[in-house]
């Protein structure tokens, strides 16, 4: 409707100039400005990684607590959050010139082109502008200006809609990846996997592992003795309304201990036994009798209700949870968990040491 009115008042040249301006501007904008669809897709992926880190922590909270991996997990979550912040910051900086260009495109440059189009009939001395009185020229000028501003605003919004389409394209790309993977799994169904022939390299059997393990044990003993020499002797630590924890040298002992679950259920009463170095103990019993709860008390996950618990320092006890936990990161991160690579270096452990440990498990590794 606006285009028809302008054609009647200014001729076809006026609207043609406006449309040509927006077409050229849209082409320049598309060629110069970055594609935000990739940025939106990456932002969605980073947010998914951040949520997944939280979900993993919730699902494996007990395993992480046994490994004393709270600090490591916090670093993983903070890194995921920092990646999101860095991406959002860089994205915001890239959006500044885009918003400036869009403002110039729709408001200022479009207005300049519009006023030039209004002046065009008078400059070209077109027939429908000749022999008009001043009041008629003024009326046509105001009316045509309003038409042009409305037309430029409408077409400008269509051009700016491309920004929103880029954002939507980023999200649809993520959805498309999910749908393609689902279709691939549906096509495969329950088909048997094809057997492929692999050529395995001849692995050399690890030699000298026994001697190295003896040296490794000596290093660990020296580190432990040094740590114990720096440790101050701790007195019995009673807990408010609960039992008493005593730090022992190298044994675990329950002295008339009661184990109570968080819901108040008494799982074990007057527990009294000890475990010394070199002694193997197997604890058996039906589900819910307190087998795992005993280790939760030893590891400090649950408070001791009553009695006295003697246990070595936390650094000298390694718990193997019922469910294996795979940390996010490299194979090195998995082996040294919950320590970081920097902490590993400070302890004097090298990647070569890790290779020896893997070789002791499997000579082919």
């Amino acid at each position: 409707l606006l285009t028809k009115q302008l054609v009647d008042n200014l001729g076809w040249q006026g609207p043609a100039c406006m449309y040509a301006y927006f077409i050229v501007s849209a082409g320049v904008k598309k060629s110069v400005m970055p594609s935000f669809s990739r940025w939106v897709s990456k932002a969605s992926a980073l947010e998914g990684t951040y949520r997944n880190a939280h979900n993993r922590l919730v699902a494996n909270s007990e395993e992480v607590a046994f490994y004393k991996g709270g600090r490591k997990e916090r670093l993983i979550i903070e890194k995921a959050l920092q990646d999101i912040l860095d991406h959002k910051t860089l994205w915001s900086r890239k959006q500044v010139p885009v918003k400036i260009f869009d403002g110039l495109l729709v408001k200022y440059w479009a207005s300049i082109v519009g006023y030039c189009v209004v002046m065009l009939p008078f400059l070209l001395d077109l027939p429908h502008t000749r022999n008009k009185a001043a009041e008629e020229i003024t009326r046509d000028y105001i009316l045509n200006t309003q038409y042009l501003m409305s037309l430029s605003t409408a077409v400008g919004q269509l051009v700016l809609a491309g920004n929103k389409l880029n954002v939507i394209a980023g999200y649809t790309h993520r959805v498309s990846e999910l749908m393609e993977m689902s279709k691939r799994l549906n096509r495969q169904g329950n088909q048997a996997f094809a057997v492929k022939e692999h050529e395995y390299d001849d692995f050399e059997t690890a030699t000298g592992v026994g001697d190295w393990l003896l040296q490794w044990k000596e290093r660990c003993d020296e580190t432990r003795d040094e740590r114990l020499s720096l440790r101050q002797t701790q007195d019995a630590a009673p807990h408010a309304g609960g039992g008493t924890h005593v730090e022992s040298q190298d044994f675990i002992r329950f002295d008339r201990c009661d184990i109570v679950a968080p819901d108040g259920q008494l799982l074990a009463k007057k527990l009294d036994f000890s475990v010394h170095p070199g002694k193997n103990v197997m604890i058996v019993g039906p589900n819910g009798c307190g087998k795992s709860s005993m280790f939760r008390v030893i590891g400090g996950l649950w408070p001791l209700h009553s009695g006295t618990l003697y246990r070595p320092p936390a650094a000298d006890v390694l718990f193997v949870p019922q469910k294996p936990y795979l940390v996010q990161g490299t194979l090195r991160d998995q082996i040294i968990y919950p320590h970081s690579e920097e902490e590993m270096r400070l302890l004097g452990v090298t990647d070569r040491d890790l290779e020896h440990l893997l070789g002791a498990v499997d000579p082919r590794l």
Side-chain angles (χ1 to χ4, degrees):
L1 181 60
L2 294 173
T3 303
K4 183 178 182 304
Q5 290 296 120
L6 288 173
V7 170
D8 295 339
N9 296 339
L10 300 176
W12 64 268
Q13 295 89 346
C17 291
M18 290 299 301
Y19 282 114
Y21 162 74
F22 281 111
I23 292 173
V24 173
S25 300
V28 173
K29 175 181 171 64
K30 183 177 180 180
S31 61
V32 175
M33 297 302 171
S35 176
F36 287 122
S37 59
R38 292 195 299 269
W39 288 84
V40 173
S41 179
K42 184 178 180 180
S44 179
L46 292 175
E47 292 172 0
T49 302
Y50 180 66
R51 289 191 296 269
N52 180 58
H54 279 278
N55 293 333
R56 283 171 52 86
L57 182 58
V58 172
N60 302 278
S61 56
E62 183 172 281
E63 289 75 20
V64 172
F66 271 126
Y67 282 130
K68 306 298 182 184
R71 180 173 173 271
K72 177 67 174 180
E73 296 298 322
R74 180 178 178 179
L75 293 176
I76 292 175
I77 293 177
E78 287 181 347
K79 181 180 182 302
L81 178 59
Q82 188 62 45
D83 291 341
I84 295 177
L85 293 176
D86 293 342
H87 181 75
K88 293 287 187 180
T89 301
L90 186 58
W91 186 9
S92 299
R93 291 177 180 174
K94 286 184 173 294
Q95 282 183 317
V96 171
V98 174
K99 293 180 178 179
I100 294 175
F101 181 81
D102 291 341
L104 295 174
L105 170 68
V106 176
K107 294 181 179 179
Y108 301 103
W109 295 342
S111 300
I112 294 174
V113 174
Y115 284 115
C116 292
V117 170
V118 173
M119 296 170 55
L120 190 62
F122 302 97
L123 295 176
L124 298 179
D125 193 21
L126 297 179
H128 62 274
T129 61
R130 300 171 185 169
N131 303 323
K132 282 190 176 182
E135 59 274 12
E136 292 179 339
I137 295 176
T138 303
R139 182 197 63 192
D140 293 343
Y141 174 79
I142 296 174
L143 188 61
N144 293 333
T145 300
Q146 294 176 348
Y147 288 154
L148 280 171
M149 292 300 102
S150 299
L151 178 63
S152 62
T153 301
V155 179
Q157 292 300 323
L158 291 177
V159 175
L160 296 181
N163 296 339
K164 299 179 180 179
L165 291 177
N166 280 332
V167 174
I168 296 175
Y171 292 114
T172 55
H173 176 70
R174 296 280 295 172
V175 175
S176 175
E177 290 181 344
L178 176 61
M179 294 180 65
E180 289 177 359
M181 181 59 65
S182 299
K183 291 180 180 178
R184 186 182 307 171
L185 294 176
N186 290 333
R187 287 195 302 266
Q188 183 176 352
N190 294 325
Q191 296 179 4
F193 297 112
V195 178
K196 295 183 178 179
E197 297 293 336
H198 292 281
E199 295 182 359
Y200 295 98
D201 297 332
D202 294 331
F203 294 96
E204 297 181 359
T205 304
T207 57
V209 175
D211 296 336
W212 182 88
L213 287 177
L214 292 176
Q215 297 176 4
W216 175 260
K217 184 178 183 301
E218 292 177 359
R219 291 170 55 185
C220 293
D221 291 340
E222 292 176 359
T223 303
R224 181 174 181 272
D225 294 340
E226 181 180 357
R227 184 175 66 251
L228 292 177
S229 64
L230 298 176
R231 183 188 301 273
Q232 297 180 354
T233 303
Q234 298 183 0
D235 298 330
H239 292 264
T244 302
H245 291 270
V246 179
E247 187 174 286
S248 65
Q249 185 70 18
D250 55 1
F251 67 91
I252 297 174
R253 178 185 175 187
F254 285 89
D255 185 7
R256 299 180 63 81
C257 297
D258 290 344
I259 298 178
V260 180
D263 59 0
Q265 180 182 3
L266 179 61
L267 300 176
K269 185 177 182 180
K270 303 303 180 183
L271 198 63
D272 194 345
F273 75 96
S274 61
V275 180
H276 293 272
K279 182 179 180 181
N280 299 324
V281 177
M282 178 181 292
I283 303 174
V284 297
N287 293 335
C289 69
K291 301 187 299 296
S292 301
S293 304
M294 185 187 308
F295 291 97
R296 296 187 182 106
V297 173
I298 298 175
L301 276 64
W302 286 7
L304 181 65
H305 184 266
S306 63
T308 303
L309 172 62
Y310 300 83
R311 63 182 182 185
D316 295 340
V317 180
L318 174 64
F319 293 90
V320 180
Q322 301 180 64
K323 185 175 63 174
Y325 176 63
L326 299 179
V327 66
Q328 289 182 334
T330 62
L331 178 60
R332 179 197 295 116
D333 296 329
Q334 181 67 39
I335 298 174
I336 67 176
Y337 186 83
H339 298 291
S340 63
E341 183 178 355
E342 292 76 13
E343 293 172 338
M344 182 190 78
R345 306 296 182 192
L346 292 176
L347 292 173
V349 181
T350 64
D351 289 340
R352 186 61 180 170
D353 294 329
L354 301 183
E355 292 177 2
H356 280 295
L357 290 174
L358 290 175
V361 177
D362 189 340
R364 298 181 303 172
L365 295 178

